[in-house]
Amino acid sequence: MQILANADLRPFHTFSISQRCAYLVEVQSSDEIKTVYQEPKWQDLPKLMLGKGSNMLFTEAYQGVVMVNKLLGKSVTESDHYWHLHIAGGEDWPNLVKWSVEQGYYGLENLALIPGCAGSAPIQNIGAYGVELKDVCEYVDVLCLETFASRRLSPEECQFGYRDSIFKRELFDKVIIVAIGLKLSKQWQANIEYGPLQSLDRETLTAHDVFERVCQIRIEKLPDPNKIGNAGSFFKNPVISQTQFDALHAQFPTLPAYPAQNGVKLAAGWLIDQCQLKGAQIGGAQVHPNQALVLVNQSNATADDVINLAAKVCREVFSKFHVKLEHEVRFMGSHGETNLQTILDSQS
Ligand code: FAD
Ligand code: EPU
């Protein structure tokens, strides 16, 4: 296990912002994770499991041990009607989707090109183009950090929701996801209800076509983190009550909205766009000129630039629509997770 002291996290997260951590180690097995937690000199230090860092903003230097997920391996078994994929947590998600489509294990194609590790996918129940991880998840294997026992959670136990799961709440900081199980039907059914996929021809359609189309849309719509630092949608799409929606809709008839579990989901990108914030910049951080929901590291942004820009976006959207935006991106402070509101409160 290689240990780097005072490491720069810049190559380890997609915002590409320089930020130090006390120690950085790559972990390849559950035993190595256990070793990190049991190392006497690290007993009092906070610890963080990192996948590809594609949903992270390090707001300060991290005064703890960052573990980079390198748990690798995948295997496939079959039953009468399903392919069952067992995937180690450190496997790259976009490569997994591409590989599964090439092998003829269909069902992941709508989730193509979402950056990150397989083991991170259940945390916010990754979703795109009408499919969420919960639709294909058979189980999630975790290592409990109190006992170091392994446990298998069913999808019901994971309590998946929109960009949400038990791993953000009751099990936050209590478990590490070491593997996931995916269950893919041998009877493939296309999922092309989501707007830009509706133009595909259902009669001749294959999973490869859906995969290609999703990749094409994403490449057109979303900035590539290899070229310009970003963490995807910076904010979640807000869910508001039907009553609040009716009032807003009367005022803004073109407001895009979708039915949600507890109300109506609005398109945060549209709200931000309507505030004329596309291209808005603070320091090196910018609201992407083509996709308002994505904040980018336009030119050597600092974490403070991103924080100040995010605060401006929230303020202006609230002032125009009375809708509160919540960030999807996870904020990591010096000793653990934090959030925009806590940072702003500490500054006032
Ligand atoms: P990281 O960013 O490394 O970690 C995220 C959080 O999970 C951290 O709190 C971390 O501590 C925790 N964590 C990571 N691994 C583990 C583990 N094994 N056990 C316990 N905790 C862990 N998301 C979508 O849902 N849909 C999209 O369409 C989408 N598009 C994106 C497009 C771009 C260009 C980018 C940059 C991001 C996009 N995202 C999208 C967000 C991101 O891809 C997902 O959140 C992804 O699952 C993050 O994976 P990661 O490995 O990078 O996690
Ligand atoms: N819109 C604008 N202006 C913008 C951006 C969007 O008006 O600048 C409008 C669009 O015209 C459309 C609506 O907002 O009417 C929704 O846009 P889009 O379909 O592009 O989806 P999104 O809400 O921006 C969500 C997810 C993405 C996911 C896509 C596809 C969230 C927070 N974001 O984006 O996930 O890939 O749908 O399913 O739910 C992520 O989570 O990081 C992410 C990229």
Side-chain angles (χ1 to χ4, degrees), residues 124 127-129 162-163 194 218 221-222 231-233 235-237 256 258 267 269-270 273 278 290-293 328:
Q124 70 161 12
Y129 300 99
Y162 166 63
R163 298 294 187 269
Y194 197 90
R218 292 186 66 98
K221 275 198 173 184
L222 290 163
S233 298
F235 300 98
K236 290 189 226 172
N237 284 328
Y258 319 91
W270 187 90
D273 201 350
K278 269 184 179 162
N290 302 327
Q291 166 49 287
L293 198 44
E328 175 187 306

Side-chain angles (χ1 to χ4, degrees), residues 48-49 51-55 115 117 120 123-124 126-127 177 218:
L48 167 72
M49 186 68 166
K52 304 285 180 189
S54 61
N55 209 24
C117 287
S120 316
I123 295 169
Q124 70 161 12
I126 56 167
I177 296 173
R218 292 186 66 98

